[in-house]
């Protein structure tokens, strides 16, 4: 059997065809999605990407047994509705019904961070453990929690919004409107801003050479690149940023005590430079420091395909 997973949580919409036995991708299609598009145009893009993914797999649509979608924002999983997506015109959008009407295949929908967590739990970094958590450090901070192979939804499908727990009272304003949210300090956007702020008063740093003298070209890798060149300012930026990341992770471990916690997003590609520092802070600050069994912190393994793979496996949550 084969299942389709769709990820439209960013500026691209990606569809994959996944083998139900191996959980491996056998077909894939991707296209850019315009944020300002209407609901009709967004759904048209999603439908087309699904069709092209099936074509690339050299399968027939009749061989697809389910479709899953990882959507941004607040998702009503039972009714199949995207209630609100801040980056897209998808308020109260009946996405499940639209896809089922087009393909006549059972369809499931879930928050994209939850899909990422599910993909990693079943086919990636969390395979083989009962209690698993995935944190995504992207333009925001997303999280998903899998307990005994089931996603934690809460009473309204809005559980796991760990990016919006406050880690610094009265701190930076978050996109959600609150101040001091973890996302305002630990997202990739936050790291970029922290790097720019530090560069503004330090014109002799190698950071300026890395971005070609144009501060607008600073990205999530800039500080890490300068760190590898032994730049002292970069060292301070990275350590400060990782401290903020670690504060949120300590909070998450104190509350949920997962067997394993993985970190995804482009920043996770920094590997041991990131993980060794996180482990240092976590090992010194979390409450269960003397327990024999400890949460293992690791990098996600499925990369950019994690959400789409998790979406393809949503049937396992509901069938």
């Amino acid at each position: 059997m084969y299942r389709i997973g769709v990820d439209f949580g960013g500026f691209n919409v990606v569809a994959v065809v996944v083998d139900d036995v191996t959980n491996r991708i056998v077909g894939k299609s991707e296209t850019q999605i315009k944020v300002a598009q209407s609901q009709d145009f967004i759904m048209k893009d999603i439908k087309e990407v699904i069709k092209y993914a099936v074509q690339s797999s050299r399968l027939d649509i009749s061989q697809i047994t389910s479709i899953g979608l990882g959507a941004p924002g607040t998702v009503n999983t039972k009714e199949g509705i995207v209630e609100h997506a801040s980056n897209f015109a998808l308020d109260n959008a009946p996405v499940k019904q639209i896809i089922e009407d087009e393909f006549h295949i059972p369809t499931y929908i879930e928050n994209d961070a939850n899909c990422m967590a599910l993909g990693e739990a079943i086919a990636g970094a969390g395979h083989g453990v009962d209690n698993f958590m995935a944190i995504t450090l992207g333009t925001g901070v997303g999280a998903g929690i899998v307990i005994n192979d089931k996603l934690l939804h809460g009473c309204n499908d809005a559980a796991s919004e760990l990016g919006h727990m406050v880690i610094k009272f009265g701190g930076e304003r978050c996109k959600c409107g609150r101040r001091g949210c973890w996302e305002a300090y630990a997202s990739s956007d936050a790291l970029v801003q922290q790097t720019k702020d530090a560069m503004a008063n330090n014109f002799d740093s190698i950071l300026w050479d890395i971005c070609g003298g144009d501060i607008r070209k600073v990205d999530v890798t800039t500080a890490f690149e300068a760190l590898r060149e032994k730049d002292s300012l970069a060292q301070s930026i990275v350590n400060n940023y990782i401290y903020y990341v670690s504060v949120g992770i300590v909070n998450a471990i104190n509350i949920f005590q997962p067997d394993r916690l993985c970190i995804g997003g482009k920043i996770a590609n920094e590997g041991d430079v990131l993980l060794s520092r996180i482990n240092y802070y976590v090992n010194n600050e979390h409450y269960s420091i003397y327990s024999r069994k400890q949460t293992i912190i690791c990098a996600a393994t499925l990369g950019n395909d994690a959400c789409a793979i998790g979406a393809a496996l949503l049937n396992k949550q509901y069938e």
Side-chain angles (χ1 to χ4, degrees):
M1 293 188 294
Y2 301 91
R3 304 182 187 275
I4 290 175
V6 181
D7 171 11
F8 61 102
F11 295 110
N12 291 344
V13 54
V14 180
V16 299
V17 180
V18 174
D19 184 311
D20 195 40
V21 176
T22 65
N23 296 325
R24 292 183 178 178
I25 294 173
V26 298
K28 184 176 181 179
S29 180
E30 181 175 358
T31 190
Q32 283 192 327
I33 192 168
K34 294 177 181 175
V35 174
Q37 285 184 157
S38 68
Q39 175 182 305
D40 289 342
F41 279 104
I42 292 171
M43 295 310 302
K44 180 175 178 289
D45 286 342
I46 292 172
K47 292 174 189 176
E48 289 182 352
V49 167
I50 289 173
K51 292 173 183 176
Y52 287 133
V54 175
Q55 290 178 14
S56 74
S57 69
R58 298 183 179 180
L59 298 170
D60 185 81
I61 194 70
S62 64
Q63 294 173 272
I64 306 300
T65 56
S66 71
I67 298 172
L69 301 107
T74 306
V75 178
N76 183 322
T77 60
K78 296 178 181 64
E79 297 183 20
I81 295 172
V82 177
E83 295 179 332
H84 175 69
S86 57
N87 292 329
F88 298 99
L90 289 177
D91 288 341
N92 294 311
V95 174
K96 169 183 165 69
Q97 190 64 54
I98 292 170
I99 296 300
E100 286 187 340
D101 287 347
E102 177 74 17
F103 296 102
H104 307 289
I105 296 171
T107 299
Y108 309 92
I109 187 167
E110 180 64 76
N111 171 268
D112 55 353
N114 281 347
C115 285
M116 180 268 188
L118 185 64
E120 289 288 349
I122 295 176
H127 180 71
V129 303
D130 293 327
N131 300 300
F132 175 72
M133 178 180 294
I135 304 292
T136 306
L137 304 177
T139 55
V141 173
I145 300 164
V146 181
I147 300 175
N148 295 325
D149 300 323
K150 292 293 184 181
L151 283 165
L152 178 66
H153 283 110
C155 66
N156 54 6
D157 293 327
S160 307
E161 288 290 349
L162 300 185
H164 299 292
M165 63 179 168
V166 171
I167 66 166
K168 191 171 184 179
F169 182 74
E172 297 287 342
R173 185 171 294 281
C174 180
K175 295 172 185 176
C176 74
R178 302 181 77 195
R179 287 192 176 275
C181 289
W182 189 26
E183 180 172 297
Y185 292 89
S187 66
S188 59
D189 283 1
L191 174 57
V192 169
Q193 190 59 52
Q194 290 159 17
T195 305
K196 289 179 177 179
D197 290 345
M199 290 171 62
N201 297 311
N202 293 274
F203 294 100
D204 58 345
S205 169
I206 197 173
L207 287 159
W208 284 100
D209 296 327
I210 290 173
C211 66
D214 187 351
I215 201 168
R216 294 172 299 179
K217 294 182 179 179
V218 170
D219 63 19
V220 296
T221 67
T222 303
F224 284 96
E225 288 181 41
L227 175 67
R228 285 188 280 273
E229 298 294 329
K230 312 297 184 184
D231 183 84
S232 60
L233 181 62
Q235 175 86 22
S236 175
I237 294 167
V238 170
N239 283 344
N240 190 56
Y241 169 74
I242 292 178
Y243 174 73
Y244 286 133
V245 171
S246 301
V247 169
I249 289 176
V250 167
N251 290 346
I253 289 175
N254 284 348
I255 297 167
F256 295 102
Q257 299 294 339
D259 294 295
R260 198 171 298 165
L261 182 153
C262 86
I263 301 171
K266 190 174 182 179
I267 294 171
N269 295 334
E270 298 299 334
D272 191 57
V273 174
L274 177 76
L275 293 175
S276 62
R277 285 168 166 80
I278 289 175
N279 274 302
Y280 172 80
Y281 286 123
V282 172
N283 290 340
N284 282 282
E285 294 194 10
H286 72 97
Y287 180 75
S288 56
I289 188 170
Y290 298 110
S291 297
R292 292 184 179 180
K293 186 173 182 180
Q294 298 288 339
T295 297
I296 295 171
I297 301 172
C298 61
T301 61
L302 299 181
N304 293 333
D305 293 324
C307 175
I309 291 174
L313 302 176
L314 282 174
N315 66 292
K316 299 178 185 294
Q317 296 289 296
Y318 301 104
E319 291 181 355

